[in-house]
Amino acid sequence: MALTYLHAVASLDGFIAADDDDVGPLHDWYFDGDHPLEVEDHPEVHSGPFRVSAASVDYVSGMWSRQRALVIGRRLFDLSNGWEGHPPASEHVVVVSHRAKPDGWHPEASYHFVDSVERAVALAQELAGDGEVGVTAGDIGGQALALGLIDYVAMDLVPAVFGSGKRYFGSFTGGPLVLDDPDIVIPGERVLHLRYPVRRGPAAQSTDQEES
């Protein structure tokens, strides 16, 4: 089964966007570096070519090259118009939505619309083959984590404080959940890359509280 991780860029107080979905300075580090990522750039879709710092390039390019499928929610699809069929990474995108793909929308793009998080992750794992699956943070990612479908939590922390907005874990209801110590800690320029393995079984539950 394909390794599946939850991922997004987040502020120090855990927000992936403001209340109006503006990401503010969170993604600046993707474009302010000297090292281009080895991906097929579509700057007209992604606000410019991806260029990160020397500290970040190996981590980000490695993650993106292994990611074969991406799970997103319908809101992100609508906000980005599905990146016009060119996601930053992944050969396949699975959209969690009760609405079908818009008629005539980029028929050449491998985008699949399903009506539940469970089905979306299962399909993404099938499509990914021997690659990896990314699940975008927010409500969809929080649901996937609560359902036990996530192997790692990956966060790119940016030194910004939003105060309010869209939370990294969305409306996560599976807590308290204890993760393992990070197996990746990479200080970049204006970003800190972290990856936490998700514990399985009873060890995942906090020892301070018991489920009622």
Side-chain angles (χ1 to χ4, degrees), residues 28-43 48-65 88:
D28 290 353
W29 64 273
Y30 272 128
F31 308 102
D32 290 346
D34 298 323
H35 293 70
L37 293 176
E38 297 300 323
V39 297
E40 182 184 356
D41 265 335
H42 293 273
F50 293 108
R51 301 181 66 89
V52 299
S53 71
S56 296
V57 64
D58 289 343
Y59 173 70
V60 178
S61 61
M63 174 186 283
W64 284 12
S65 67

Side-chain angles (χ1 to χ4, degrees), residues 39-195:
V39 297
E40 182 184 356
D41 265 335
H42 293 273
E44 74 284 359
V45 176
H46 300 295
S47 303
F50 293 108
R51 301 181 66 89
V52 299
S53 71
S56 296
V57 64
D58 289 343
Y59 173 70
V60 178
S61 61
M63 174 186 283
W64 284 12
S65 67
R66 295 187 301 270
Q67 183 178 295
R68 303 291 176 76
L70 175 66
V71 178
I72 68 174
R74 184 58 184 250
R75 184 169 182 80
L76 179 55
F77 175 85
D78 288 342
L79 287 170
S80 65
N81 196 31
W83 304 289
E84 303 296 342
H86 300 290
S90 294
E91 301 165 11
H92 313 279
V93 175
V94 183
V95 183
V96 181
S97 176
H98 293 290
R99 291 176 285 145
K101 182 191 299 186
D103 289 340
W105 185 88
H106 295 287
E108 77 287 352
S110 182
Y111 278 57
H112 309 264
F113 287 63
V114 300
D115 60 4
S116 75
V117 172
E118 298 98 322
R119 290 185 60 202
V121 173
L123 177 57
Q125 290 174 336
E126 179 182 342
L127 293 168
D130 59 357
E132 297 179 355
V133 173
V135 180
T136 54
D139 285 334
I140 296 300
Q143 291 177 48
L145 182 63
L147 290 166
L149 303 176
I150 299 296
D151 299 305
Y152 292 91
V153 171
M155 306 179 76
D156 298 320
L157 284 179
V158 168
V161 178
F162 276 29
S164 67
K166 304 301 175 66
R167 296 185 178 277
Y168 180 95
F169 293 104
S171 53
F172 175 71
T173 58
L177 179 67
V178 178
L179 307 180
D180 279 331
D181 291 332
D183 62 349
I184 292 176
V185 180
I186 301 174
E189 294 182 13
R190 309 303 298 167
V191 64
L192 173 64
H193 306 291
L194 299 168
R195 191 180 77 165

